[in-house]
Amino acid sequence: MQRLVFFVGVAGTGKSTVAEEVAKHVPCAFLDRDTVGGRFVERFLEMNGEDPNDRDSQFYKENLRDLEYNATKDVCMENLRVGQNVFMISPFTTELKSQAWLDGVIAASGKTRAEIDIKVIIVTLQDVEQQRKRIEGRGTVRDTWKLDNWDSYETRVDFIPTINWDIPSKHIHVFENSGKITSDKVERLVDFIKA
């Protein structure tokens, strides 16, 4: 059975890092939305006189957010269609609320729900200072807004998204990502994905 695993959570919780460690043990197409859509989003923003690192403005949300997510979804569907496991990395806050979105991904891949095991790993971080240090450590200009508005942003650190998908509750795992990502932590996540 193929696996479709979503690594979700807010910036700085370590979604990509956790997914990278797990991917060493579960062969997959690794689709980080920032990587899939980043370059064309930056160019589009520049062409419209906007900050190429913006991901928080109304302009981005109205004109580019769905485009970026849909491009990642298209690459996901293509990989599912050819039989690959897929890891999807991004917050997916809107998509997690829509059963129709998930059904569309499965249908467009030419697969059935019985052929794809869907899991969601919600990456959280209780240590707000560690989250800030991780965001600072990335050194991306894209995170400037978050850091400049930290007092309002930090309230999202332990955010658990609403998931309205018709998947068993045992297919949703909250992973608290404080401290180092040890081999034991990775092994537990691999076991969760393969169960």
Side-chain angles (χ1 to χ4, degrees):
M1 177 176 285
Q2 281 178 263
R3 294 179 171 87
L4 174 56
V5 184
F6 292 83
F7 290 81
V8 303
V10 298
T13 55
K15 297 179 299 295
S16 297
T17 303
V18 170
E20 286 172 7
E21 290 301 314
V22 174
K24 294 174 183 175
H25 306 278
V26 180
C28 64
F30 188 91
L31 305 181
D32 188 319
R33 184 212 21 110
D34 287 337
T35 304
V36 172
R39 290 188 188 271
F40 71 79
V41 166
E42 289 167 7
R43 181 70 179 122
F44 191 88
L45 287 165
E46 284 176 344
M47 289 172 58
N48 284 276
E50 302 289 331
D51 178 352
N53 299 296
D54 166 47
R55 298 299 183 277
D56 294 294
S57 73
Q58 199 62 32
F59 182 86
Y60 169 80
K61 291 173 184 172
E62 289 176 0
N63 296 287
L64 295 168
R65 188 240 184 242
D66 290 347
L67 180 65
E68 194 170 24
Y69 275 80
N70 287 337
T72 307
K73 177 179 75 170
D74 291 346
V75 178
C76 170
M77 293 181 305
E78 188 170 25
N79 277 278
L80 290 173
R81 187 169 41 254
V82 299
Q84 298 297 314
N85 296 324
V86 177
F87 284 8
M88 296 275 277
I89 301 97
S90 196
F92 291 105
T93 49
T94 300
E95 293 73 14
L96 290 168
K97 295 175 186 173
S98 172
Q99 182 64 43
W101 185 88
L102 181 62
D103 291 345
V105 169
I106 303 304
S109 72
K111 304 288 181 165
T112 66
R113 288 288 299 274
E115 295 173 288
I116 299 176
D117 186 30
I118 300 164
K119 302 278 175 72
V120 178
I121 297 174
I122 303 165
V123 182
T124 64
L125 187 62
Q126 296 298 316
D127 185 340
V128 175
E129 280 311 305
Q130 186 178 15
Q131 182 196 25
R132 183 181 178 105
K133 286 177 185 171
R134 286 180 181 174
I135 291 173
E136 289 170 340
R138 292 195 302 209
T140 63
V141 178
R142 183 177 308 159
D143 290 324
T144 301
W145 183 91
K146 295 172 187 81
L147 294 169
D148 288 348
N149 296 279
W150 189 251
D151 289 342
S152 63
Y153 187 77
E154 74 175 321
T155 61
R156 302 185 218 176
V157 68
D158 58 358
F159 173 74
I160 304 294
T162 300
I163 301 174
N164 291 334
W165 291 351
D166 183 22
I167 61 174
S169 60
K170 67 181 182 178
H171 285 212
I172 300 168
H173 179 73
V174 177
F175 178 73
E176 210 296 305
N177 192 27
S178 293
K180 296 193 181 292
I181 301 176
T182 64
S183 58
D184 286 344
K185 290 179 181 180
V186 172
E187 184 177 341
R188 285 194 297 273
L189 289 173
V190 170
D191 290 346
F192 165 73
I193 290 168
K194 291 183 174 180

